[in-house]
């Protein structure tokens, strides 16, 4: 199936959950925010929400630091 991740088209094998997508991308799920089709996905749902062909996913990673 084809999805868009942070503006980039990707082809992935179905079925795939949000957690599965993060694992495929090598992203730890702890310090990220996910938006699916303009709706925020709760962290508690990463394992249960399946992706569909045409979904648009935005992933924001939080990076620590500061002065």
């Amino acid at each position: 199936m084809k999805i868009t991740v942070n503006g980039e088209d990707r082809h992935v094998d179905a079925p795939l959950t949000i957690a599965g997508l993060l694992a495929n991308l090598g992203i730890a799920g702890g310090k990220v925010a996910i938006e699916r089709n303009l709706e925020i996905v709760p962290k508690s749902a990463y394992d249960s929400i399946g992706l569909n062909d045409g979904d648009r996913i935005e992933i924001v990673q939080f990076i620590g630091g500061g002065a």
Side-chain angles (χ1 to χ4, degrees), residues 10 13 20 39 50 52-53 67:
R10 293 181 177 263
D13 293 329
E39 293 185 18
N52 298 306
D53 191 50

Side-chain angles (χ1 to χ4, degrees), residues 2 7-8 10 12 16 20 24 26 43 45 47 55 57 63 65:
K2 179 181 162 188
E8 180 181 319
R10 293 181 177 263
V12 296
L16 188 65
N24 285 351
K43 287 188 189 307
D47 287 323
D55 277 351
I57 307 297
I63 300 172

Side-chain angles (χ1 to χ4, degrees), residues 2-66:
K2 179 181 162 188
I3 62 173
T4 303
V5 179
N6 291 352
E8 180 181 319
D9 290 338
R10 293 181 177 263
H11 292 276
V12 296
D13 293 329
L16 188 65
T17 62
I18 296 287
L21 175 64
L22 291 175
N24 285 351
L25 296 173
I27 298 172
K31 294 188 178 186
V32 297
I34 307 290
E35 182 181 271
R36 176 178 170 242
N37 301 326
L38 303 177
E39 293 185 18
I40 299 294
V41 178
K43 287 188 189 307
S44 61
Y46 287 5
D47 287 323
S48 61
I49 293 184
L51 299 177
N52 298 306
D53 191 50
D55 277 351
R56 299 184 64 80
I57 307 297
E58 295 294 326
I59 302 171
V60 178
Q61 295 181 334
F62 300 103
I63 300 172

